[in-house]
Amino acid sequence: TLLRVDTLAHRCPSFSMAELCNNVGASLLACFNCNGQGDDGVSIVDDKAVMSHMKERLVKGIAVTKYSRSSSPKIITLKSDEDCTELFFEHKGARFEDGECDTFKLALCGIRRATDPDPDVKHFAGSKVLRDNLDPNRALEAFILEGPNKVTINCKVDSELEADRIINGFKLLFKAAKSQSQ
């Protein structure tokens, strides 16, 4: 497929690289970062830039759909304090705490893809909540935030690319927070 994209770009110079990448799909776009920019126009070229961009987005808030054992799916906002040391949640503009969502120190958090192995059930991916509520074709749009005391927050966004950016951004933030707390 990569050869075909390269060949098409060479034979048809009127195609922009962004159009070519969009034709290949969001997964490839996330891997190779077409044009070196995110879909909001921000250049994402290295870990430091990814972390900085993620911090800015968290301070403003990132909307996700939260799935739970005990309630129907709801749109919540993932947010962080200005120093990006704590993660908290909002629903309809107010702090949201439901027994799963709470305020967490970033150094105590983790994240995994919905396609990663479920640590609680061998031979399954994601989490029971996501397996019960999500079409398997949408698994690349979902992820699980892990807090202290085995708290899991099952989230889904609108695209694979958005999920990939959030997952990679959180991994870098959590790693940095853990190294600073030691």
Side-chain angles (χ1 to χ4, degrees), residues 77-93:
T77 304
L78 307 175
K79 293 196 83 173
S80 177
D81 59 331
E82 291 288 331
D83 297 328
C84 213
T85 59
E86 293 184 332
L87 177 67
F88 61 93
F89 307 87
E90 289 185 354
H91 178 63
K92 297 183 179 177

Side-chain angles (χ1 to χ4, degrees), residues 17-73:
M17 199 58 180
E19 288 173 311
L20 291 174
C21 286
N22 285 335
N23 290 337
V24 174
S27 297
L28 185 61
L29 182 64
C31 292
F32 292 101
N33 200 9
C34 183
N35 276 341
Q37 294 186 342
D39 48 25
D40 55 1
V42 175
S43 179
I44 309 291
V45 292
D46 62 13
D47 288 354
K48 198 177 264 190
V50 171
M51 271 192 5
S52 176
H53 184 63
M54 184 65 175
K55 286 178 181 180
E56 289 174 21
R57 292 190 63 207
L58 273 174
V59 169
K60 292 176 186 173
I62 301 171
V64 301
T65 302
K66 177 189 179 284
Y67 291 89
S68 174
R69 287 181 200 90
S70 57
S71 64
S72 59

Side-chain angles (χ1 to χ4, degrees), residues 165-181:
R165 287 185 178 149
I166 291 170
I167 292 163
N168 290 333
F170 269 131
K171 282 183 178 183
L172 292 170
L173 287 176
F174 295 157
K175 182 179 176 182
K178 287 174 184 166
S179 69
Q180 287 176 354
S181 70

Side-chain angles (χ1 to χ4, degrees), residues 3 9 11 13-14 26 41 44 52 62 70 76 84 89-90 95 109 119 122 127 130 149 156 167:
L3 179 61
R11 290 185 184 168
S14 66
I44 309 291
S52 176
I62 301 171
S70 57
I76 63 169
C84 213
F89 307 87
E90 289 185 354
R95 282 280 177 122
C109 294
K122 287 185 179 186
S127 69
L130 288 178
N149 303 318
K156 184 189 143 324
I167 292 163

